[in-house]
């Protein structure tokens, strides 16, 4: 149903008829409490949090025009925000915010700037962009957006200007690895990408949650994952943590922590799958009905013996148990899931037979040695999962582009979940639902191919990269001047130097630009290389369009109102973008594309979003524009339980991935055998990058791993110099690095010592940090909370008095390497040495 002005009235009446605004996910009564705002002492404003990228719904309380506290929005099924959100006031009132436009006076990286007027700063940027456009090279501008930009407007302006070079951050976070790993099993097109919000654990009803690369309460998300996880624990859910670090939040005493060697998740998963096969712990009924376990595979090519994927219901060849012959699945009454046969001289086995045999080649002893997890722990976990399936699941992680083999790891996790039959089952993995909001702004294609698309089409090893979610091609493009020369970089809320592994290479590329412009309310590593800095407002100082990209089982729409007036000489991103547009477009171009927005403001976008909102009948019956504004949020009905929601080549949930098999076969045909091993559809163990460099780490060598706490985030800037978070974080030593106690003692170290850390492949870049010895870190790992200290870029200490003047961010000194074929960032796949600081 498409909502128009006419049927707003109908849906508003329906929405007001109930006691809540949700359907299928009732709000807990205890969430509604009387506050001082109800008595007029304070004024409350609904908004969405931007202290990280999750946009949790919350409420700001004002007293005499000043922000005094922040709470979770109670009008949701899972009212919750983390420490970052509650500390947003400290970001707003940070005395070291960027208060006025700045122009560089020293060399790039020196941190030397002078104050400037808005006109002077904008003219410098606008004139450079006009020059490049007049020279026919608007595509030579590289644009780096982030979540605190002028949402929906910024990409449009740069696109209309003439550049498709929009470098997103997804290759270091949720991008290719995570999406393809799940999509290879669940489908989704020729390059089957499934986002973080497509499938999630049903924590509330689960009996066991195996957390691999995931910390639902101490990491990124409070709403709704944190609330779901908390209720699951209250309901008796057992957690098993597979991680080199016993994480905050899920590391309670009753959590079974399995300390895995960095990059050793795959041998653990193979060992676990082997136990499922050996003991018949798999869900046979689920495999037969919903998966391609029965498809016959050519044992030489690992491709299907025969598959017709062009039919409305794809058909493939199986081995019929009754007739003992191979035939099409549509003709078979009893297809086998374990079988070997010959078809026209081709040796064939069922997919499940091949998966089982691949596990048998890798013994449980090997799995334990390579993963660091004892055999008995693997045996016990397999038995426990069997006892509660399908009310269990293996989390595939969130920020998972860690090692060269991470894609294969995520494939194995997704496939093993299929063996357990947990997809679309209560307590297992359930599917998300979203409300889709349209934009009033139009886009034009540039005449020049984008850098990322060129790399995808022309560079070996980039064939499966996501051309939007790739920012680490930037230094390669600058160095090679391919496909053309990049002449200007525009950083809008993004910090690629601090946020992407190989950051030092990005910094070197920025030094080569003719101009670097930046928009940010806070200092970060990348701003040290800017020529012009424009001071953005914080999210508390501006209104924004509606937001609906939540990772939830039900659709969510939230409003974002301005809480306080802009402080200092700052401007919000919309004002900045329009001021820039006036300088780089003709009067007619500007009027045709932006006049309506300039006249109508955020309300113009919100009206457009609501008028073009499409909801099904069930959700439309609960939607009310008035209630959305009054409550700050609307939540729809939960997604129905079902085994799969995307098309696959076989028409089934693919526990044996035909996507992986196709790429494995293609790479083998091209004699790219090293890359092919990462795309094997079998349960194989391709190595991490660091494992190809050394068979064994020296006593002073570690693999740097990172994680988040509710006190820090990948956004870095608004949490790094935050006095409220520092006061708590100091008790956690959150600016230190953590190593195993015994290994530290063997090196003659004690907690509180200052050490030096360097990449063995880049020994000249040395970072100092305090070290803490702990039993909660696996001996091969060196753990740091992400984005706390200033790390390699000590000049930031002059700008940030609250931030730790030392500390370790592995992105600063990590290798600029790319994962095979899909090219995302192996953020933790290198070796560092440590030594006592002099």
């Amino acid at each position: 149903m498409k909502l128009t002005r006419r049927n707003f009235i109908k849906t508003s009446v329906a929405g007001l008829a109930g006691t809540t605004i949700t359907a299928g996910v009732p709000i807990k009564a205890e969430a509604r409490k009387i506050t001082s705002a109800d008595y007029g002492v304070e004024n409350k404003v609904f908004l969405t949090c931007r202290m990280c990228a999750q946009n949790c719904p919350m409420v700001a309380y004002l007293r005499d025009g000043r922000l005094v506290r922040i709470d979770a929005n109670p009008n949701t099924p899972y009212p919750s925000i983390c420490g970052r959100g509650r500390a947003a006031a400290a970001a707003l009132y940070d005395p070291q915010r960027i208060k006025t436009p700045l122009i560089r006076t020293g060399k790039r990286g020196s941190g030397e700037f002078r104050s400037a007027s808005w006109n002077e700063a904008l003219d410098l940027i606008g004139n450079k962009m006009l020059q490049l456009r007049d020279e026919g090279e608007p595509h030579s501008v590289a644009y780096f957006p982030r979540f605190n930009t002028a949402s929906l407007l910024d990409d449009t302006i740069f696109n209309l200007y003439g550049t498709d070079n929009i470098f997103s951050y997804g290759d270091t976070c949720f991008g290719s690895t995570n999406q393809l790993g799940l999509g290879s099993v669940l489908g989704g097109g020729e390059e089957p990408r499934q986002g973080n919000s497509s499938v999630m654990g049903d924590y509330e009803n689960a009996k066991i949650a195996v957390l691999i690369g995931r910390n639902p309460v101490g990491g990124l998300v409070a709403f709704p994952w944190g609330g779901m996880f908390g209720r699951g624990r209250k309901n008796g859910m057992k957690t098993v943590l597979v991680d080199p670090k016993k994480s905050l939040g899920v590391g309670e005493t009753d959590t079974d922590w399995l300390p895995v060697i960095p990059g050793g998740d795959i041998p653990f998963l193979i060992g676990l799958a082997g136990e499922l096969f050996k003991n018949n712990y798999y869900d046979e009924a689920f495999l037969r009905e919903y998966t391609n376990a029965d498809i016959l595979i050519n044992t030489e090519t690992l491709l299907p013996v025969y598959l017709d994927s062009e039919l409305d219901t794809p058909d493939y060849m199986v081995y019929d148990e009754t007739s003992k012959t191979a035939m099409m699945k549509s003709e078979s009454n009893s297809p086998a899931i374990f079988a070997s046969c010959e078809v026209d001289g081709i040796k064939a086995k069922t997919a499940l037979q091949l998966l089982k045999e691949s596990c048998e080649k890798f013994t449980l002893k090997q799995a334990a040695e390579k993963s660091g997890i004892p055999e008995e722990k693997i045996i016990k976990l397999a038995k426990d999962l069997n006892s509660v399936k399908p009310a269990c699941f293996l989390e595939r992680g969130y920020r998972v582009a860690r090692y060269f083999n991470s894609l294969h790891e995520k494939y194995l996790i997704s496939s093993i979940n299929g063996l357990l039959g947990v997809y679309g089952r209560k307590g297992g993995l359930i599917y998300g639902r979203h409300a889709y909001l349209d934009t009033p702004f139009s886009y034009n294609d540039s005449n020049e191919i984008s850098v990322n698309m060129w790399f995808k089409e022309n560079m070996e090893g980039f064939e499966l990269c996501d051309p939007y979610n790739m920012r680490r091609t930037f230094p390669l493009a600058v160095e090679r001047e391919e496909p053309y020369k990049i002449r200007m970089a525009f950083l809008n809320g993004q910090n690629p130097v601090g946020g992407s592994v190989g950051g030092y290479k990005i910094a070197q590329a920025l030094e080569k630009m003719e101009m670097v412009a930046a928009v940010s309310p806070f200092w970060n590593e990348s701003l040290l290389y800017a020529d012009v800095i424009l001071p953005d407002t914080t999210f508390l100082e501006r209104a924004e369009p509606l937001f609906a990209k939540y990772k939830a089982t039900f659709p969510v729409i939230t409003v974002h109102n301005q809480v306080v007036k802009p402080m200092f000489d700052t401007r919000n991103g919309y004002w900045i973008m329009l001021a820039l547009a006036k300088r780089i477009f003709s009067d007619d171009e500007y009027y045709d594309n932006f006049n309506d927005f300039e006249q109508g403001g955020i309300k113009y976008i919100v009206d457009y979003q609501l008028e073009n909102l499409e909801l099904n009948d069930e959700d439309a019956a609960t939607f009310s524009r008035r209630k959305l504004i009054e409550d700050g949020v609307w939540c729809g009905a939960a997604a129905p339980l079902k085994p799969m929601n995307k098309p696959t080549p076989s028409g089934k949930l693919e526990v044996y991935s035909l996507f992986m098999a196709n790429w494995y076969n293609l790479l083998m045909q091209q004699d790219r055998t090293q890359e092919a091993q990462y795309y094997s559809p079998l349960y194989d163990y391709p190595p991490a990058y660091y494992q190809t460099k050394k068979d064994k780490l020296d006593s002073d060598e570690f693999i740097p791993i990172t994680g988040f706490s509710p006190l820090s985030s990948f956004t870095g800037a608004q949490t790094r110099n935050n006095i409220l978070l520092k006061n708590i974080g100091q008790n956690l030593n959150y600016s230190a690095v953590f190593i195993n106690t015994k290994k530290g003692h063997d090196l003659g170290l004690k907690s509180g010592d200052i050490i030096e850390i360097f990449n063995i492949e880049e020994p000249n870049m040395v970072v100092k940090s305090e070290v803490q010895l702990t039993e909660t870190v696996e001996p091969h790992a060196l753990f740091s909370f992400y984005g706390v200290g200033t790390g390699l870029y000590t000049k930031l200490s002059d700008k940030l008095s609250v931030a730790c003047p030392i500390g370790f961010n592995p992105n600063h000194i990590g290798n600029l390497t790319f994962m095979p074929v899909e090219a995302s960032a192996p953020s933790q796949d290198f070796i560092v040495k440590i030594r006592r600081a002099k």
Side-chain angles (χ1 to χ4, degrees):
M1 174 182 177
K2 193 169 186 176
L3 287 174
T4 64
R5 293 184 186 277
R6 179 176 299 174
N7 60 30
F8 270 145
I9 300 174
K10 296 179 183 179
T11 56
S12 296
V13 174
L16 290 171
T19 57
T20 72
I21 61 169
T22 64
V25 279
I27 298 172
K28 297 289 185 180
E30 64 264 26
R32 297 188 177 278
K33 59 183 181 180
I34 301 300
T35 70
S36 56
D38 295 290
Y39 295 98
V41 177
E42 296 173 345
N43 181 39
K44 65 180 179 181
V45 180
F46 291 111
L47 72 161
T48 56
C49 184
R50 291 301 194 100
M51 293 295 280
C52 82
Q54 306 310 318
N55 293 74
C56 298
M58 63 187 193
V59 187
Y61 292 88
L62 298 169
R63 185 175 295 170
D64 298 327
R66 186 173 178 86
L67 178 65
V68 293
R69 91 174 178 279
I70 292 173
D71 286 332
N73 188 322
N75 303 313
T76 71
Y78 304 99
S80 54
I81 56 172
C82 70
R84 291 181 292 262
R86 295 188 184 279
L92 172 67
Y93 297 120
D94 180 359
Q96 290 183 293
R97 280 179 52 181
I98 301 172
K99 304 180 181 70
T100 184
L102 300 172
I103 294 174
R104 178 173 60 86
T105 57
K107 67 178 182 178
R108 283 188 179 141
S110 68
E112 298 172 9
F113 296 86
R114 65 171 174 84
S115 295
S117 69
W118 276 98
N119 280 335
E120 182 186 10
L122 284 165
D123 285 345
L124 280 174
I125 298 171
N127 288 339
K128 184 62 181 179
M129 293 182 70
L130 275 175
Q131 173 200 337
L132 296 176
R133 203 182 196 202
D134 290 343
E135 293 174 1
E137 295 190 16
H139 54 273
S140 68
V141 176
Y143 180 54
F144 295 81
R146 194 61 177 94
F147 66 87
N148 61 345
T149 62
S151 177
L152 304 181
L153 178 65
D154 57 335
D155 283 9
T156 304
I157 285 178
F158 280 87
N159 184 268
L160 291 173
Y161 167 75
T163 182
D164 287 332
N165 286 315
I166 299 177
F167 291 89
S168 177
Y169 59 96
D171 58 329
T172 61
C173 184
F174 59 83
S176 298
T177 299
N178 209 4
Q179 294 174 347
L180 285 178
L182 182 64
S184 64
V185 171
L186 295 184
E190 184 177 346
E191 290 185 14
R193 303 183 190 277
Q194 296 252 352
N196 287 293
S197 54
S198 58
V199 177
M200 59 202 71
D202 184 11
Y203 290 106
E204 289 186 77
N205 298 298
K207 301 299 182 184
I208 298 177
V210 182
L211 306 178
I212 304 177
R214 187 77 177 91
N215 184 358
V217 289
L220 292 178
V221 181
F223 169 79
W225 282 333
M228 295 169 68
F229 181 86
R231 291 184 191 176
R233 295 289 285 166
K234 185 178 180 180
N235 293 338
M237 177 188 69
K238 177 184 176 182
T239 53
V240 179
L241 179 64
V242 182
D243 201 288
K245 172 72 166 64
K246 192 174 186 181
S247 305
L248 294 172
V250 296
E252 300 93 339
T253 55
D254 58 343
T255 292
D256 193 2
W257 176 44
L258 307 182
V260 66
I261 293 172
D265 303 81
I266 289 178
F268 158 74
L269 291 167
I270 297 174
L272 179 64
E275 287 300 298
L276 298 181
F277 280 121
K278 183 174 71 174
N279 297 287
N280 299 327
Y281 288 162
Y282 48 84
D283 189 327
E284 181 174 344
F286 185 89
L287 288 169
R288 287 185 179 277
E289 183 173 359
Y290 297 114
T291 80
N292 70 341
D294 54 2
I295 188 171
L296 279 177
I297 301 296
N298 182 325
T299 58
E300 183 177 344
T301 66
L302 299 185
L303 294 173
V305 172
Y306 182 80
L307 166 67
D308 189 344
S309 59
E310 300 300 320
L311 300 173
D312 291 339
T313 302
D315 202 6
Y316 53 80
M317 190 163 283
V318 300
Y319 182 79
D320 186 75
E321 292 178 318
T322 303
S323 65
K324 306 299 181 184
T325 59
M327 63 179 63
M328 299 305 293
K329 183 176 177 67
S330 59
E331 301 170 354
S332 173
N333 294 320
S334 53
I337 56 174
F338 293 104
S340 301
C341 65
E342 281 197 13
V343 182
D344 296 330
I346 297 173
K347 292 182 179 180
K349 295 181 179 181
T350 62
L352 206 62
Q353 181 74 39
L354 283 172
L355 294 181
K356 180 181 179 181
E357 291 177 4
S358 66
C359 290
E360 292 170 347
K361 294 177 183 177
F362 198 78
T363 67
L364 185 61
K365 181 179 180 181
Q366 287 177 300
E369 289 176 349
K370 297 293 185 181
S371 69
I373 298 174
E375 294 180 42
E376 61 271 18
K377 290 284 189 178
I378 299 174
I379 293 170
K380 182 179 184 302
L381 178 58
K383 184 177 180 180
D384 290 347
L385 291 171
N386 177 62
S387 68
V388 301
K389 70 175 192 298
C392 60
F393 55 86
L394 278 63
E395 269 276 16
R396 63 185 161 87
Y398 186 82
R399 187 176 179 267
V400 296
R402 293 191 172 99
Y403 309 100
F404 259 37
N405 57 18
S406 286
L407 173 61
H408 196 71
E409 173 205 344
K410 301 313 164 188
Y411 162 52
L412 295 192
I413 290 173
S414 301
S415 178
I416 291 171
N417 279 320
L419 297 183
L420 292 167
V422 305
Y423 289 106
R425 311 285 285 276
K426 184 177 180 180
L429 291 171
I430 53 182
Y431 293 89
R433 288 195 63 225
H434 309 92
Y436 295 94
L437 299 174
D438 201 357
T439 171
F441 301 115
S442 60
Y443 294 83
N444 293 331
D445 291 329
S446 168
N447 292 325
E448 296 287 341
I449 189 172
S450 71
V451 165
N452 287 337
M453 185 57 72
W454 186 88
F455 270 75
K456 183 180 180 71
E457 294 178 353
N458 294 277
M459 291 288 289
E460 187 175 283
F462 287 78
E463 293 92 337
L464 287 174
C465 78
D466 181 344
Y468 182 74
N469 290 310
M470 285 289 293
R471 65 180 170 193
R472 295 165 61 261
T473 55
F474 171 69
L476 291 185
V478 172
E479 180 181 353
R480 298 166 178 261
E481 295 191 1
E482 290 181 320
Y484 39 74
K485 186 175 181 178
I486 299 293
R487 300 173 61 184
M488 177 179 177
F490 195 114
L491 312 173
N492 199 343
Q494 192 182 135
N495 176 19
V497 174
S500 186
V501 65
Y504 74 98
K505 287 283 190 180
I506 296 175
Q508 291 172 2
L510 291 175
E511 287 183 333
K512 296 178 181 179
M513 293 294 97
E514 294 176 19
M515 172 174 278
V516 178
V519 179
S520 177
F522 305 106
W523 286 100
N524 62 51
E525 295 91 323
S526 300
L527 295 193
L528 297 175
Y529 296 87
D531 299 298
V532 184
I533 302 174
L534 305 178
D536 197 0
T537 57
T538 67
F539 70 97
L540 294 161
E541 299 164 282
R542 62 174 180 258
E544 294 187 3
L546 301 176
F547 184 82
K549 295 181 180 178
Y550 284 98
K551 300 166 182 67
T553 59
F554 47 89
V556 183
I557 302 174
T558 55
V559 300
H560 183 96
N561 296 304
Q562 182 178 350
V563 178
V564 297
K565 294 180 179 179
M567 299 178 62
F568 313 113
D569 191 15
T570 63
R571 302 286 190 275
N572 70 62
Y574 298 99
W575 185 95
I576 293 172
M577 286 293 103
L578 288 180
L580 182 62
K582 289 177 179 178
R583 287 167 167 79
I584 62 177
F585 295 125
S586 68
D587 290 344
D588 288 342
E589 283 180 301
Y590 183 89
Y591 185 88
D592 290 343
N593 291 284
F594 307 112
N595 183 69
D596 289 343
F597 171 62
E598 183 177 24
Q599 298 302 313
I602 296 300
K603 185 177 182 297
Y604 166 75
I605 301 179
V606 171
D607 285 345
Y608 187 93
Q609 289 175 317
L610 289 173
E611 289 171 12
N612 291 275
L613 177 64
E614 294 187 9
L615 299 175
N616 64 26
D617 291 342
E618 185 178 9
D619 289 331
T622 69
F623 182 84
S624 161
R625 180 173 186 167
R626 184 167 73 87
K627 288 291 286 180
L628 171 65
I629 302 304
E630 290 179 353
D631 289 353
V633 63
W634 167 82
C635 302
L641 296 180
K642 54 183 178 179
M644 59 185 295
N645 67 343
K646 293 284 186 179
T648 64
S650 66
K652 297 286 188 176
L653 191 149
E654 295 194 346
V655 291
Y656 181 94
S657 171
L658 299 185
F659 167 77
M660 299 289 277
N662 283 329
W663 274 95
Y664 172 83
N665 190 266
L666 177 63
L667 293 168
M668 290 296 288
Q669 289 179 4
Q670 297 176 0
D671 293 326
R672 295 163 64 182
T673 55
Q674 286 189 330
E675 292 169 291
Q677 62 184 324
Y678 295 94
Y679 289 82
S680 170
L682 304 177
Y683 288 5
D684 289 339
Y685 178 31
Y689 172 81
Y690 84 84
Q691 292 167 335
T692 67
K693 295 297 179 181
K694 299 193 73 170
D695 293 330
K696 184 179 179 181
L697 299 182
D698 294 341
S699 61
D700 60 348
E701 292 179 338
F702 299 83
I703 305 304
I705 65 171
T706 58
F708 299 106
S709 80
L711 309 179
S712 63
S713 81
F714 51 84
T715 59
Q718 58 255 53
T719 57
R720 178 187 280 157
N721 206 52
N722 191 299
I723 188 64
L724 294 178
L725 296 178
K726 180 179 181 180
N727 288 337
I728 304 171
Q730 284 177 328
N731 294 323
L732 303 175
N733 295 300
Y734 79 150
S735 61
V737 297
F738 299 79
I739 63 174
N740 180 267
T741 300
K742 182 181 183 306
K743 197 163 180 180
H745 286 162
D746 290 345
L747 293 172
L749 298 172
K750 64 181 185 301
S751 291
D753 284 348
I754 304 300
I755 61 171
E756 294 179 337
I757 309 166
F758 58 93
N759 181 346
I760 64 170
E761 297 182 57
E762 297 288 345
N764 293 325
M765 293 186 294
V766 180
V767 180
K768 290 185 178 181
S769 179
E770 177 186 328
V771 67
Q772 289 289 322
L773 310 188
T774 175
E775 298 295 333
T776 63
V777 176
E778 197 276 335
H780 295 80
L782 179 145
F783 176 84
S784 61
F785 289 109
Y786 178 69
V788 178
T790 56
L792 186 67
Y793 297 90
T794 55
K795 289 291 183 181
L796 274 180
S797 298
D798 299 334
K799 313 292 185 183
L800 306 173
S801 62
V802 174
C804 181
I806 56 177
F808 178 56
N809 180 346
N811 285 340
H812 291 167
I813 63 172
N815 301 323
L816 187 71
T817 51
F818 295 82
M819 297 169 77
V821 186
E822 54 91 23
S824 55
S827 60
Q828 299 174 13
D829 205 350
F830 61 100
I831 302 169
V832 297
K833 278 185 178 288
I834 69 171
R835 64 194 177 207
R836 188 188 298 275
K838 298 177 182 179

